[in-house]
Amino acid sequence: MNNLDLFLDMLSMDSSSSRERGLSNFLAERFMTGKNRLDRFPVGVTEGNPDGDGTENLLFSWGVPKIVFCTHLDTVPPYFPPAVDTTGADSRNGEEDVVVRGRGACDAKGQIISMYNACLELERRGYSDFALLLLAGEEAGSLGAKSLRGAGIRAEYVVVGEPTDNRMVSACKGTKSFEVTLTGKGCHSGYPGYGVSAVDMFVDMVNELRGVSFPLDEILGETTWNIGRLSSANPQNILSPKLSFRIYFRTTFASDARVCGVMSAFGERQGVSVKAFGGDTPMNYTVFDGFETTPAAFGSDAPQLDGFTHRCLCGPGSILVAHTMDEYVRVSELVKATDQYVRMYEIVAGR
C-alpha cells in the first residue's frame, strides 16, 4: 500500500471532534502535490465568532471536478494510538495482510488515505477534474458539512467515505433526535404517595415506546432507537423531581414521519417536555454496475451536502468495529478502496 507511514502518522494524532485542527494543518501541508489547489473553510463561523471554533474543512482540487471524494477528519473519543500486526494470508493475493488498529483506522482516516491515494493515481494518469473534500465535525452532527452550505462547491457526483466493507450503499436510514424532560414531584421516599417519581415516569415511557409498532420497511428493515445522556440527580431517599435524556431514532422510509408523530404526542402530556433536534431523512444513494451493494443503518455527512446531483456512499472497514476500542482496518481493504475510487472516477468521467 502507498503511504502506510503517512497513514500511521495520521492515526498518531488525536483528532477527536473539536480537536481536528492539528490533523487538518498536517494534511494541508502533506497533501499538496504541486498540481492541486487547496481551499480552507473555517467551521462554525458566525457574526459574533468570525474565526469559528478552530476547526476547518479542506478542499484539494485538481481542476474543475466532475467527482468529489469526501470524508471526515474527526473521530469519536476516546483516542487510542495505532498498532500494526500481520494476520496471515490475504485471500485476494496470497500474501501476508496487515491489520492497522487505532482510533480512526476505519472511521474515517482509512477513507482519507484511500481517497488520497486514488487522487494520486488519477494525477499520475494525467487527469485534472476531481477533488478531495475533508470535513470537520461529522461525528458531532455534521458541523463541517452544514457550514459549507452555499459555499459553491459543486460537482455532478460526490462519493462519501464511511466504513461499508467497500460496498456501495443503496439506501441509508434517517436519524431523529429528541431531548425529553420529565417533571415529577419530589418528596421523602418513605412516603412516595405524596410525590410523583420522574424515574417512574421514565420507566413507563420506555415501556410504552417498546410497545409502539413501527412499520417494517422492505428496504431498510426495522426502526431502532437508543437512549443516552440519562440524568436524574436526586438523592436516593428522595423521589426524583426531574429526569432528562436524549433519544435517538434510526428511521426508515416507512417510519420517519411516524417517529416524529409519536414523540410529538408524548410532548403533549402533563409533565413531559419534548424538544426535537431534527436529523436526516432516509435516503437512496447512487450505485454503479459492477460493485457490491448494501443498505446501511448509520448516518453520514452525505445528506447535508449540497451542490451535488448524485451522492454515493462507500469505503473500507466495517461499521461493526467503528466507534469501538477494537477499531481496525486491513491494508488489503485500503488498497481495494483506492482501486474502487479510481474506477468510480473512470465511470463518471467516461474514461
Side-chain angles (χ1 to χ4, degrees):
M1 172 193 150
N2 293 335
N3 293 315
L4 179 57
D5 288 340
L6 174 58
F7 183 41
L8 295 175
D9 286 343
M10 291 162 51
L11 291 171
S12 296
M13 300 182 184
D14 180 358
S15 62
S16 303
S17 298
S18 80
R19 298 180 180 177
E20 303 98 306
R21 188 56 184 259
L23 178 62
S24 67
N25 285 338
F26 174 77
L27 298 182
E29 179 179 347
R30 291 295 299 272
F31 278 15
M32 296 304 294
T33 67
K35 294 184 179 180
N36 58 359
R37 166 183 168 175
L38 171 61
D39 293 290
R40 306 173 80 155
F41 302 87
V43 175
V45 174
T46 63
E47 184 175 348
N49 185 25
D51 297 323
D53 61 4
T55 60
E56 61 180 351
N57 301 319
L58 303 178
L59 177 66
F60 299 90
S61 301
W62 286 258
V64 178
K66 294 179 180 178
I67 185 170
V68 173
F69 301 106
C70 174
T71 191
H72 56 93
L73 294 159
D74 66 319
T75 62
V76 296
Y79 170 77
F80 61 99
V84 178
D85 64 78
T86 57
T87 60
D90 173 7
S91 59
R92 203 178 63 147
N93 57 26
E95 297 178 356
E96 274 198 338
D97 201 355
V98 176
V99 172
V100 180
R101 306 182 186 277
R103 178 58 79 222
C106 78
D107 190 15
K109 294 177 182 179
Q111 284 71 23
I112 294 176
I113 197 67
S114 298
M115 289 179 165
Y116 175 60
N117 281 333
C119 290
L120 291 181
E121 175 60 21
L122 295 175
E123 179 186 281
R124 187 190 68 80
R125 297 183 188 186
Y127 302 138
S128 60
D129 49 3
F130 56 93
L132 174 62
L133 177 61
L134 304 179
L135 299 171
E138 189 270 348
E139 302 288 6
S142 292
L143 300 178
K146 291 174 181 176
S147 74
L148 277 185
R149 289 173 180 164
I153 299 174
R154 301 190 177 281
E156 186 177 359
Y157 285 84
V158 62
V159 179
V160 175
E162 289 286 348
T164 71
D165 294 301
N166 279 322
R167 294 178 289 180
M168 296 193 79
V169 169
S170 56
C172 201
K173 286 184 176 181
T175 59
K176 291 291 181 289
S177 179
F178 304 87
E179 183 175 74
V180 180
T181 302
L182 304 174
T183 303
K185 180 183 178 183
C187 72
H188 194 292
S189 62
Y191 302 88
Y194 289 89
V196 177
S197 169
V199 172
D200 287 346
M201 295 171 65
F202 169 74
V203 172
D204 291 344
M205 183 174 176
V206 168
N207 285 334
E208 189 171 345
L209 272 171
R210 285 175 172 166
V212 174
S213 179
F214 293 108
L216 183 67
D217 191 278
E218 62 181 9
I219 297 174
L220 294 172
E222 296 182 347
T223 299
T224 62
W225 48 271
N226 176 66
I227 287 174
R229 300 186 186 181
L230 180 62
S231 176
S232 179
N234 60 296
Q236 63 182 9
N237 58 352
I238 297 176
L239 260 65
S240 170
K242 183 172 288 188
L243 180 147
S244 64
F245 63 94
R246 284 283 189 97
I247 184 166
Y248 193 66
F249 287 84
R250 305 284 182 171
T251 67
T252 69
F253 296 113
S255 71
D256 196 66
R258 171 116 169 92
V259 164
C260 295
V262 166
M263 293 306 298
S264 177
F266 275 117
E268 295 174 357
R269 299 181 182 182
Q270 184 176 356
V272 181
S273 170
V274 176
K275 181 180 179 181
F277 285 91
D280 302 323
T281 57
M283 179 176 288
N284 289 308
Y285 289 92
T286 296
V287 297
F288 298 131
D289 292 340
F291 289 81
E292 290 186 66
T293 65
T294 184
F298 55 82
S300 74
D301 281 328
Q304 303 300 331
L305 295 170
D306 65 2
F308 302 98
T309 306
H310 301 283
R311 295 178 178 91
C312 306
L313 193 61
C314 187
S318 170
I319 194 65
L320 300 182
V321 298
H323 297 196
T324 74
M325 295 303 291
D326 190 37
E327 184 174 355
Y328 70 89
V329 69
R330 295 180 183 274
V331 166
S332 60
E333 295 178 277
L334 301 179
V335 172
K336 180 178 179 179
T338 294
D339 293 343
Q340 290 196 152
Y341 292 139
V342 170
R343 283 175 55 203
M344 291 176 193
Y345 165 83
E346 292 173 333
I347 291 170
V348 169
R351 305 292 185 185

